Amino acid sequence: EGERKRRGVRQVYVHEHPRLLRKALSTAKERILLIAPWIRAKVVDSDFLSQLKSALGRGVKVHVGYGYAENDEEKMTRADLRAEEALFALSRKHTNFIFKRLGNTHAKVLLCDRLFIVTGSFNWLSFLGDPNRTYRDEQSTLVEIPEHIDDVYHQQLKAFSEGPNDRSEGIS
């Protein structure tokens, strides 16, 4: 176990994911990058928005990318659309928050500073991972290798600077 921890790579199981998201939002000092296909109000709720505002207030640079298909809105409830709009509003208010519709992404990524990156099947912004609900097998890999984290961060940032799918302008 000690050798595995020293290497900085481990498996993350379904119910660990929400704790890691909260940890990123509450402890990040420099950067958070989050990519998820869907946004749902059951996750992007007042608690999540409060934690995000707190991170932004600490000066953390936050990138959130989302969007599985061009017609995602057809499957979103009114509450989900309000959650999306709340994120757009925060991005207009905070220059250190980049919120972008990436288009056809199925990636699920959470990156916190140079501390950790989690990639796998967990839908960060649409699935609660609540242990009191029906079990759903979602797994990821957590990596704590700073050089790897930096490489992935810079690679993922490219998606935020290219592409015609940025809907952040003109949303009211």
Side-chain angles (χ1 to χ4, degrees):
E1 185 64 25
E3 176 65 16
R4 191 169 19 167
K5 283 188 178 218
R6 188 187 63 73
R7 289 188 201 141
V9 177
R10 72 173 182 86
Q11 196 70 1
V12 175
Y13 297 98
V14 64
H15 302 306
E16 295 178 78
H17 290 85
R19 178 183 53 79
L20 288 166
L21 178 56
R22 286 190 303 273
K23 178 180 179 179
L25 290 169
S26 65
T27 65
K29 293 178 177 28
E30 296 176 27
R31 64 187 182 188
I32 295 171
L33 183 132
L34 181 78
I35 299 177
W38 304 281
I39 294 171
R40 298 293 179 255
K42 64 186 175 190
V43 175
V44 182
D45 60 6
S46 59
D47 288 339
F48 175 89
L49 293 169
S50 177
Q51 291 173 330
L52 177 58
K53 287 177 193 173
S54 179
L56 294 168
R58 292 192 312 273
V60 176
K61 179 80 169 178
V62 178
H63 286 82
V64 173
Y66 76 104
Y68 181 66
E70 291 303 316
N71 60 353
D72 284 349
E73 297 85 13
E74 295 172 9
K75 297 175 184 148
M76 294 175 79
T77 67
R78 286 184 186 160
D80 296 338
L81 291 168
R82 284 192 300 272
E84 178 187 41
E85 175 52 36
L87 292 170
F88 275 122
L90 275 177
S91 73
R92 289 190 296 268
K93 188 174 183 180
H94 296 273
T95 58
N96 55 326
F97 181 33
I98 308 300
F99 180 59
K100 183 172 181 179
R101 181 180 189 77
L102 301 176
N104 195 8
T105 187
H106 208 272
K108 291 109 177 163
V109 179
L110 173 63
L111 182 147
C112 178
D113 293 333
R114 296 183 84 218
L115 298 176
F116 66 85
I117 182 169
V118 182
T119 57
S121 66
F122 190 84
N123 292 289
W124 295 102
L125 298 178
S126 65
F127 182 55
L128 287 172
D130 184 345
N132 297 318
R133 296 194 166 206
T134 303
Y135 180 76
R136 188 166 97 189
D137 189 17
E138 302 286 349
Q139 298 183 31
S140 301
T141 303
L142 180 140
V143 177
E144 298 173 309
I145 302 169
E147 298 81 11
H148 174 76
I149 296 166
D150 287 343
D151 290 346
V152 174
Y153 180 74
H154 294 296
Q155 184 65 34
Q156 294 295 328
L157 279 186
K158 293 176 185 177
F160 288 87
S161 62
E162 52 189 47
N165 296 320
D166 188 355
R167 294 189 26 222
S168 60
E169 300 301 322
I171 301 284
S172 59

